[in-house]
Amino acid sequence: MTKSDSKQKFPIGILLFGVILILVLIGLLMVFESSYPKSLSTLKTQGDAYLYLKKQTIGLGVGLVALFILSYFDYRKLRAAATPLLFVSIVMLCLVWIPHFRPAGSVAARWISFGSFKFQPSELAKVGLILYLAARLSRKNRNARDLKKGLLPPVIISLFVLLLIEREPDLGTAVVLFLTMITQLFLAGARKRHLFYLVSLCALAGLVATGSFGHRQKRFDTWHDPFKDRKGATYQMYQSLSAVGSGRWFGVGLGQGKQKFSMPEGESDFIFATMAEELGFARVVPVMSLLFVVGAIGFWIALHAKDQFGSLLAGGIAALIIWQAFINIAVVTNTIPATGVPLPFISFGSTSLSILLACVGILINIAHSSDDEIKHLIVTSAEYSAESEDRRIK
């Protein structure tokens, strides 16, 4: 082993996996803590207090298998799957509107079902869109600074996908993916003024849509005054803020939270409120910091990737995790109007967990490829130095 090899840093992929494992284990614990009251009181669960935990564990198992497969699968081969995967995502996003594929009793068109199997197409669309943009923007004949030929074509297709998600309606996921898209475009070198125009136009369209649909206007009203109608329109947000506030610095104790007994979506989109109540601010902050550590590691991998495709792919995944975590926490604390976005790796949702773990596998693969490239350069440099020294002696 050369002196240079001995100075190699701890593999970033192993560090990433360790942080993810901690988050997932915390997530399993909090899913059980926040869901067992609902499980015991709902007829659909037949009194099984572990039902949500069992479903989340299945998602974890599927996700870990995907993680290990993709961590050893050459990420560069994913380029060929970018367009087909996006096409499949679009087809599945359209299937949610067909009653035959929609789960019985479902109000929002966000799920498709095949017998007892349910799947959320918007989760697959996250990966499909990130992969598509990475592949499209990294082509040799494409320049993101060129508005007509380099930027507009992928943006138009991306906005079409986001529109399908927004119409489900799932504005939260659409916003997260939009911010992820902007991040990838920025990393690809798009002009700042083009990004400004794009964000401004989409923000204007969002304001118009908000005024056109009553349920979104109600969310803005709730955001403005979350205590106005505690037993009606603002019930969810009132319960969430009560849980966050009652946790104070060190929480009421694990399993001692009271708001989870009456808070809708307490195991999924509002699981952060249960964590804040039971763990307190001093304990929640380190846990939430781990999410942003994952994002930071992802951007580090993007910075050190050996090709632009890997860089944009890693950057997109990192942006997805950070934006999703940020929006979830902002909603739960009433910093922004309520919209349904799960907390990455922690909220209940087997589809979301499986897809995110698959994305982590891709990140690890890109990191390992970068490490191999660095090691190759080090060995090559060492061999060249040794040959030069031999020639000098001779």
Side-chain angles (χ1 to χ4, degrees), residues 24 42 54 88 100 114 123 135 188 230 232-233 276 283 316 355 392:
V24 169
T42 305
K54 291 176 182 177
V88 171
H100 177 73
F114 302 95
E123 295 297 332
R230 299 180 184 182
R283 296 188 181 99
I355 294 297
R392 189 185 67 80

Side-chain angles (χ1 to χ4, degrees), residues 3 26 42 54 58 78 88 98 131 137 172 178-179 190 198 219 231 233 237 280 300 322 333 356 371:
K3 184 178 180 180
I26 293 174
T42 305
K54 291 176 182 177
I58 293 174
L78 294 174
V88 171
I98 301 177
L131 182 59
L137 295 171
F178 176 76
L179 294 172
L198 178 60
R219 291 186 177 183
K231 295 183 178 180
M237 187 52 64
W300 189 94
I322 287 181
T333 56
L356 284 174
D371 289 341

Side-chain angles (χ1 to χ4, degrees), residues 133 155 158-159 162 177-185 198:
L133 286 173
V155 166
S158 299
L159 291 179
L162 297 184
L177 273 178
F178 176 76
L179 294 172
T180 302
M181 177 189 74
I182 294 297
T183 304
Q184 282 188 285
L185 294 176
L198 178 60

